[in-house]
C-alpha cells in the first residue's frame, strides 16, 4: 500500500516533468522553426526570447519550485536546505521573467509598438510584481534566518497566519501566469498568422495551440501534486511536540498510503512520532524554524 | 474571536458577490454600449450573448456554486438540500454555457468564419466537456440518492477516493474557464479594435481590460474562500462517530476563530461533537450520505 502511494506520486511527478519539458521544447520549436529564431537585435528574434524565457522560467521552473517540498526523498534533508532550493528556483524563474520582459519591451520600443495596452500585458505585469514582492519578502526572511538561525523572527502565531497566504498567493500567481501565457499565445498567433490566416488551421496554429494545451496540462499536474495532503512534507519533530495529542502509530509511508485520496484526513497525521524518530535533528534544522 | 472569523468570511463573501456582479454589469455595458447590443439574428448582436452568458453562468453562477457549502447559515440545513442547490446552480451555469456556445457557432456559421481554430475555442471546449461530464456523473448520483435515499450507492472508501477528484476537477475547470474568458477578451479586442487600434488605448480597450481584471479578482476571491479549512461545512454527525478519537471540546464558531489562518489545523476539528449536538438528524440528512 505504501508502495502504491509512492508509485502514484512518482508517476505524476514524471508526467509533470515530461509535460513541462515538452512545453519548453515546443516553445523552442515554435520560435526556431516557425518564427524568426533567437537573437538580441531589437527585432522579432529578440522578442522570441519572451515566450522561451517565460515558459522555461515562469512556468516550468516555478512549477518545480512549487512541488519541491513534496519529493519524499528530500524529507530527510533539513528544511533550511529545501527552503533554499525553493527560493533559489523561484529566484532563477524571477530573473528569467524579468529578462523576458526586457525582450518584449525592447522589441516594442525598436518597432514603435506601444507597451502595456493589452490585457495580456496588464495581467502579466500584475503576476510579475506579485511574484517579485512575494520573493523579496520570503528571501529576506530566509537570508536573515540563514545567518542568525536561532533567532525567532516572527512569533509562531504570525507565521501560522502568513504561511497560508504565502501558499495561496504562490498558487494564484502560478495559475495567473498560465492564463497569461495562453493570452500571449492567442495574441501572437492573431498578430502573425495572416497568410495563411490562423482561422484556416495552418500547421503553426495547430502546433502552438497544442503548446497551450501542454502548458495547461502542466499546470493541472502541479496543482494536483501540491494539493494532495498525503504528499505533504511531514512537519518538523518539535512542532509535533507542541501538539503531543496528535501523534498516530503509523509511519510516514503508511500514512501516505492510507491517506491516499482521502481529503478529510488531517495533514497532521503525517506529522507523527514515527517520522520524527527517523530524523536527525541538527542545529540547522533547529535553526530553520525561524525562517518560515 | 468567533465573530472575527465570521466577519472575515462575510467581508470576503460580500466582496466576491460585488466583484462577480460588477463583472456581469461590465460585460453588459461592453456589449450594449461599446458593441452591437444583443439580438438573435446570426449577426454580431447574437455573438454578444456569448460573453454575457459565459460571464453570468460559467463564471459568476459557477463561482457561487463552488462556495455554497461554505455559508455558515446553511450548515444547519440538510446536506441533501445543499447538494441540490450546488447541483442546481451548476446545471443553470451549464445550460447558459451551452447557449453561449450556440450563439458563437451560429454567428460564425452565418458569417462564414471557421469554428474551433483558436486556442480559446480548444481550451473552452475542453472546459465545457469536463464540466458537463462532471455534472452528469454527480447529478445521476444525486437523483438516485434523492429517490432511494437510504441506498448506499458507493462504498465509503470509493466515495472517499472520488470526492477529492471532484473538488479538484471543479476548481481546475473554474480556473480554466477564467483563463478562457481572458483569452476570449484578448481575441475579441484584437478583432474589433481597428480604428482606433487596441494599441492606442481606446476607452473600450481600457474598459474591457478592466473587466478582465475583475474576473481574475472574482476567481481569486472564490479560490481563497473555498480553500480555507476553517470555513468548511462541518461533517455530518455520524461521520464523527466513525472517528470517535477526533472530537475536541470547541464549538464550531470557536474552531472557526482559532483555526483562522492556520493551514496545519485539521478540517476534522470542525467536525466535533458540539456541532453534532446542535443538529437535528432528519431522515433526509441520514439519506443524503448515500449521494456522495
Amino acid at each position: 500500500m505504501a508502495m502504491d502511494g509512492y508509485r502514484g506520486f512518482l508517476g505524476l511527478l514524471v508526467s509533470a516533468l515530461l509535460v513541462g519539458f515538452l512545453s519548453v521544447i515546443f516553445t523552442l520549436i515554435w520560435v526556431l522553426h516557425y518564427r524568426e529564431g533567437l537573437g538580441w537585435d531589437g527585432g522579432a528574434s529578440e522578442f522570441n526570447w519572451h515566450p522561451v524565457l517565460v515558459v522555461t522560467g515562469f512556468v516550468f521552473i516555478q512549477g518545480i519550485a512549487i512541488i519541491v517540498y513534496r519529493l519524499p526523498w528530500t524529507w530527510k534533508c533539513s528544511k533550511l536546505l529545501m527552503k533554499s532550493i525553493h527560493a533559489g528556483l523561484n529566484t532563477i524563474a524571477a530573473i528569467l521573467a524579468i529578462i523576458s520582459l526586457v525582450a518584449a519591451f525592447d522589441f516594442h520600443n525598436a518597432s514603435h509598438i506601444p507597451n502595456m495596452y493589452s490585457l495580456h500585458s496588464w495581467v502579466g505585469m500584475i503576476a510579475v510584481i506579485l511574484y517579485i514582492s512575494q520573493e523579496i519578502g520570503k528571501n529576506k526572511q530566509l537570508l536573515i534566518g540563514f545567518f542568525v538561525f536561532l533567532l525567532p523572527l516572527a512569533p509562531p502565531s504570525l507565521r501560522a497566519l502568513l504561511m497560508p497566504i504565502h501558499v495561496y498567493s504562490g498558487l494564484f500567481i502560478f495559475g495567473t501566469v498560465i492564463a497569461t501565457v495562453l493570452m500571449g499565445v492567442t495574441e501572437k498567433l492573431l498578430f502573425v498568422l495572416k497568410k495563411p490566416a490562423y482561422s484556416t488551421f495552418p500547421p503553426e496554429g495547430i502546433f502552438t495551440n497544442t503548446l497551450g494545451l501542454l502548458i495547461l496540462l502542466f499546470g493541472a499536474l502541479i496543482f494536483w501534486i501540491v494539493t494532495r495532503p498525503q504528499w505533504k512534507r511531514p512537519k518538523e519533530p518539535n512542532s509535533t511536540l507542541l501538539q503531543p495529542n496528535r501523534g498516530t502509530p503509523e509511519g510516514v509511508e503508511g500514512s501516505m498510503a492510507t491517506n491516499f485520496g482521502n481529503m478529510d484526513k488531517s495533514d497532521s497525521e503525517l506529522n507523527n512520532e514515527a517520522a520524527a524518530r527517523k530524523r536527525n535533528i541538527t542545529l540547522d534544522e533547529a535553526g530553520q524554524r525561524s525562517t518560515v
Side-chain angles (χ1 to χ4, degrees), chain A:
Chain A
M1 281 296 279
M3 201 42 86
D4 278 358
Y6 187 66
R7 277 190 190 154
F9 177 82
L10 273 188
L12 280 159
L13 177 69
V14 169
S15 309
L17 290 172
L18 200 73
V19 173
F21 189 69
L22 258 181
S23 303
V24 174
I25 297 297
F26 265 56
T27 311
L28 282 169
I29 294 175
W30 182 29
V31 303
L32 294 174
H33 175 68
Y34 290 105
R35 299 273 104 233
E36 306 80 4
L38 293 166
W40 200 269
D41 56 0
S45 65
E46 179 170 340
F47 173 84
N48 289 343
W49 281 109
H50 181 71
V52 168
L53 295 177
V54 165
V55 174
T56 306
F58 225 10
V59 176
F60 187 53
I61 296 176
Q62 187 185 182
I64 304 304
I66 286 172
I67 58 164
V68 83
Y69 294 111
R70 304 241 147 193
L71 309 173
W73 51 90
T74 69
W75 289 352
K76 61 183 181 300
C77 301
S78 85
K79 201 160 178 187
L80 182 60
L81 173 67
M82 296 317 294
K83 283 178 179 174
S84 305
I85 294 173
H86 178 74
L89 289 172
N90 277 318
T91 305
I92 294 169
I95 292 168
L96 297 184
I98 291 169
I99 301 172
S100 84
L101 285 188
V102 173
F105 279 80
D106 254 17
F107 165 69
H108 287 164
N109 296 340
S111 313
H112 305 288
I113 298 167
N115 289 301
M116 296 303 298
Y117 68 86
S118 71
L119 183 57
H120 166 78
S121 63
W122 288 22
V123 175
M125 191 55 83
I126 289 170
V128 170
I129 291 170
L130 288 177
Y131 192 61
I132 292 172
S133 314
Q134 166 126 325
E135 201 154 338
I136 289 171
K138 273 286 161 187
N139 282 358
K140 210 169 62 185
Q141 282 183 320
L142 187 69
L143 279 174
I144 298 171
F146 192 87
F147 291 113
V148 197
F149 51 71
L150 283 171
L151 184 71
L153 287 177
S157 59
L158 181 63
R159 284 187 275 145
L161 200 78
L162 290 178
M163 198 55 201
I165 297 173
H166 174 73
V167 169
Y168 166 83
S169 66
L171 291 179
F172 175 71
I173 293 167
F174 183 63
T176 303
V177 165
I178 288 178
T180 309
V181 168
L182 300 183
M183 277 190 278
V185 167
T186 299
E187 269 193 12
K188 186 68 183 179
L189 292 179
L190 288 174
F191 288 144
V192 297
L193 292 179
K194 298 293 189 190
K195 287 174 190 178
Y198 190 14
S199 60
T200 62
F201 297 86
E204 181 178 348
I206 293 169
F207 182 84
T208 317
N209 284 358
T210 308
L211 164 63
L213 296 188
L214 282 174
I215 288 169
L216 185 69
L217 180 59
F218 178 70
L221 289 165
I222 296 294
F223 264 93
W224 176 261
I225 291 171
V226 85
T227 53
R228 294 314 91 197
Q230 69 273 21
W231 294 335
K232 199 176 164 183
R233 181 186 164 98
K235 265 186 296 209
E236 295 306 299
N238 78 326
S239 52
T240 304
L241 297 179
L242 294 172
Q243 305 182 336
N245 56 327
R246 323 203 91 245
T248 70
E250 301 168 286
V252 172
E253 287 162 297
S255 297
M256 247 178 84
T258 53
N259 277 359
F260 192 92
N262 186 342
M263 70 179 301
D264 295 321
K265 278 279 177 72
S266 163
D267 291 348
S268 305
E269 288 192 24
L270 290 173
N271 168 28
N272 55 56
E273 290 163 42
R277 264 183 252 114
K278 285 186 184 168
R279 300 216 202 130
N280 298 316
I281 309 170
T282 66
L283 193 58
D284 270 3
E285 279 184 300
Q288 60 72 33
R289 285 188 304 281
S290 63
T291 59
V292 179

